[in-house]
Amino acid sequence: MSAKEKKADAAASSDYFEKRSLKGGAVGWVLLIGLGVSYTISGDFSGWNYGMENGGWLGLTIAWLIMGLMYACTVFGLAELSSAIPTAGAGYGFARSAMGRTAGFATGLALVIEYVCAPAAIATFIANYVLALGIIDVDPLVIVAIAYVVFIAIHIFGVGEALKLMLVISAIALVALIAFAAGMIPHFDGALLFDMPADGSLGSSAALPMGFAGILAALPYGIWFFLGVEGVPLAAEEAADPKRDMPRGLIGALVILGCTGFLSLLLAAGGAGAALIGPSDAPLVDALNAIGQSDLAVFVNWAALAGLIASFFSLMYAGSRQVFALSRAGYLPSFLALTGRRKTPYVALIASGIIGFILVVVMRDGGLILNIAVFGACVSYALMNLSHIILRIRNPRMARGYKTPGGCITTTIGLGLSCVAIVSTFFVDVTAASCVLGIYVIGMIYFMVYSKKHLVANAPEEEFAKLNQAEQELR
């Protein structure tokens, strides 16, 4: 290749990435903690309680502890990886460096499934809450469509502005959770935690009404307390100081979510009874009404809507960044990575929104869509934990701004529990698990037949992978 041709290629490459770049330095560690909390905060208001129907209060609490340990191990590993490989590809970028392009795409695809399906599910919950509050009386699909249009527009306007708004909305939800706790504590009765009758299954008792199998069946609902927090590293290219801010954002968000989740789990059932809370569509609201706190219940009902909006808003952000990174590197069609004048990935946002809306129209079942998201998330956790282990072993000299406490032992625990979580999803929803497997087959065929031959070699995630390989060769 002549010097002139090389110069032309460099100019073309520069133009390619100029049209596919994000706004750096727009996000500090406080906003990252807010982002992590907002991903998950809606899970404290609804959804988790269905686990009590599968395992009773103690079964769900054990599931919460097990899945909390899985998330803690995973988050510690991600804190290290995101400080060493700070790109918008996050999980896909980590797996790409550790295991190659095929595993990188497999991880990215799992995350796309999670971050496209989860907002779609939450959009249906938002519609249900709006209709229940009597604000308007329209077809739920109209509310879902309005939610997508409004929040896609806000995201396109600017990442800093979007995350600041998200922080405010999350703060409202947190205030409501604190108010809920204050209202429930005087009415707490430990006996109400175990008011569900034993069903006669193996190991069943007043404490574990569905026996030992109930614990396994409750595991996916334990995930709902934390689902999405692993998406913080997707903001790496927009962070002010990713090597320091990513670990702070991830760990800070997990600590807050652990506290709020346990408050909801303990006080809702302990104040109103596990039998009442288990099947409830609005467990915190129903718990407050059951103890005569109707005024506070109204406030929490509105705040629950704010929590749902916060999670919907932030998960849309996560999905757009994962699609952006995969597209910029050629794993998905490159036009999806185009960014606008304000350096936000508007095509990825619009495309993710359209797919999410279609899912709602076709399935009309928020629970099913959310279970699909949970299965995709569990697959990604297994692959990301494995990535940490491999990079620790193969490239111990990699520059890391943070190191996981316990090293490979920690992420090995995370890997094992992730595999257990994957198995547990089949006990809860075979349809959802089968849907994800079908999407995976289609996605991997697309990768092997087309995108594998059209990758962009100098995308950030690809560059980090080359650097990692070079460092390994120097050992």
Side-chain angles (χ1 to χ4, degrees):
M1 182 182 290
S2 68
K4 185 176 181 180
E5 288 173 323
K6 289 181 179 179
K7 186 175 181 180
D9 280 351
S13 177
S14 176
D15 182 63
Y16 178 87
F17 287 108
E18 176 60 28
K19 294 177 181 177
R20 295 166 177 82
S21 60
L22 301 172
K23 184 180 179 182
V27 184
W29 65 271
V30 174
L31 284 181
L32 289 174
I33 291 177
L35 176 62
V37 170
S38 63
Y39 279 140
T40 310
I41 195 69
S42 63
D44 289 336
F45 288 95
S46 61
W48 58 268
N49 53 296
Y50 299 138
M52 282 193 280
E53 290 190 294
N54 289 273
W57 181 83
L58 182 59
L60 178 58
T61 300
I62 295 171
W64 174 80
L65 287 169
I66 294 171
M67 292 297 93
L69 177 60
M70 178 192 76
Y71 272 93
C73 293
T74 302
V75 160
F76 281 129
L78 292 178
E80 177 179 316
L81 290 172
S82 59
S83 73
I85 308 174
T87 70
Y92 131 66
F94 309 151
R96 167 67 184 93
S97 289
M99 297 179 285
R101 288 170 174 155
T102 301
F105 178 73
T107 305
L109 181 58
L111 288 165
V112 168
I113 290 170
E114 175 188 357
Y115 294 136
V116 171
C117 291
I122 293 172
T124 67
F125 301 153
I126 290 173
N128 292 338
Y129 261 89
V130 170
L131 293 175
L133 287 167
I135 302 172
I136 53 176
D137 184 15
V138 296
D139 189 310
L141 288 178
V142 174
I143 300 173
V144 172
I146 292 172
Y148 269 112
V149 170
V150 170
F151 293 112
I152 286 174
I154 294 172
H155 273 301
I156 291 174
F157 181 71
V159 60
E161 293 80 2
L163 293 188
K164 287 172 184 174
L165 176 59
M166 199 153 46
L167 183 63
V168 172
I169 298 172
S170 298
I172 294 171
L174 286 172
V175 168
L177 287 170
I178 294 170
F180 164 78
M184 294 300 298
I185 287 173
H187 301 273
F188 180 81
D189 181 354
L192 292 173
L193 300 173
F194 309 106
D195 66 347
M196 299 177 69
D199 66 359
S201 57
L202 180 63
S204 65
S205 63
L208 287 173
M210 289 76 179
F212 301 126
I215 298 173
L216 184 62
L219 286 179
Y221 298 97
I223 291 172
W224 287 18
F225 287 104
F226 305 99
L227 181 68
V229 69
E230 76 286 347
V232 172
L234 290 162
E237 291 184 29
E238 294 158 288
D241 184 1
K243 289 186 180 295
R244 295 181 61 192
D245 292 345
M246 284 297 131
R248 290 178 178 179
L250 276 162
I251 297 169
L254 185 66
V255 169
I256 292 172
L257 292 168
C259 294
T260 59
F262 185 68
L263 284 175
S264 297
L265 174 60
L266 178 67
L267 296 178
L276 173 68
I277 296 304
S280 172
D281 290 331
L284 305 194
V285 174
D286 287 347
L288 289 168
N289 282 325
I291 63 170
Q293 296 276 359
S294 57
D295 290 340
L296 184 55
V298 172
F299 169 65
V300 171
N301 203 353
W302 279 94
L305 181 58
L308 287 169
I309 290 172
S311 291
F312 175 75
F313 197 46
S314 56
L315 288 165
M316 283 179 58
Y317 169 89
S320 68
R321 268 51 181 183
Q322 189 65 75
V323 171
F324 163 82
L326 287 166
S327 305
R328 181 177 59 182
Y331 290 86
L332 295 177
S334 62
F335 75 89
L336 291 170
L338 290 171
T339 52
R341 182 175 57 86
R342 300 185 69 86
K343 295 301 178 183
T344 52
Y346 69 96
V347 180
L349 281 161
I350 293 171
S352 299
I354 291 173
I355 294 171
F357 182 72
I358 291 172
L359 282 172
V360 175
V361 172
V362 172
M363 294 186 174
R364 296 270 184 157
D365 185 344
L368 173 60
I369 300 172
L370 191 55
N371 283 335
I372 294 173
V374 168
F375 188 87
C378 292
V379 171
S380 75
Y381 301 157
L383 292 169
M384 289 189 291
N385 278 301
L386 183 58
S387 298
H388 176 269
I389 295 167
I390 290 173
L391 287 172
R392 265 294 184 99
I393 294 171
R394 291 184 179 175
N395 192 3
R397 297 169 58 186
M398 175 186 286
R400 295 167 168 89
Y402 172 88
K403 289 192 176 181
T404 303
C408 291
I409 295 175
T410 299
T411 41
T412 298
I413 295 171
L415 172 61
L417 292 177
S418 300
C419 292
V420 171
I422 291 172
V423 173
S424 74
T425 59
F426 283 94
F427 283 79
V428 176
D429 198 329
V430 175
T431 302
S434 300
C435 286
V436 176
L437 291 177
I439 295 170
Y440 243 97
V441 171
I442 295 170
M444 295 311 296
I445 290 174
Y446 168 79
F447 172 73
M448 299 303 295
V449 172
Y450 181 79
S451 67
K452 190 175 183 179
K453 303 171 185 177
H454 296 82
L455 299 180
V456 180
N458 55 341
E461 293 80 10
E462 300 296 308
E463 292 285 359
F464 270 109
K466 292 175 188 174
L467 178 62
N468 176 62
Q469 185 176 0
E471 289 176 345
Q472 291 180 43
E473 292 171 355
L474 290 174
R475 289 182 59 191

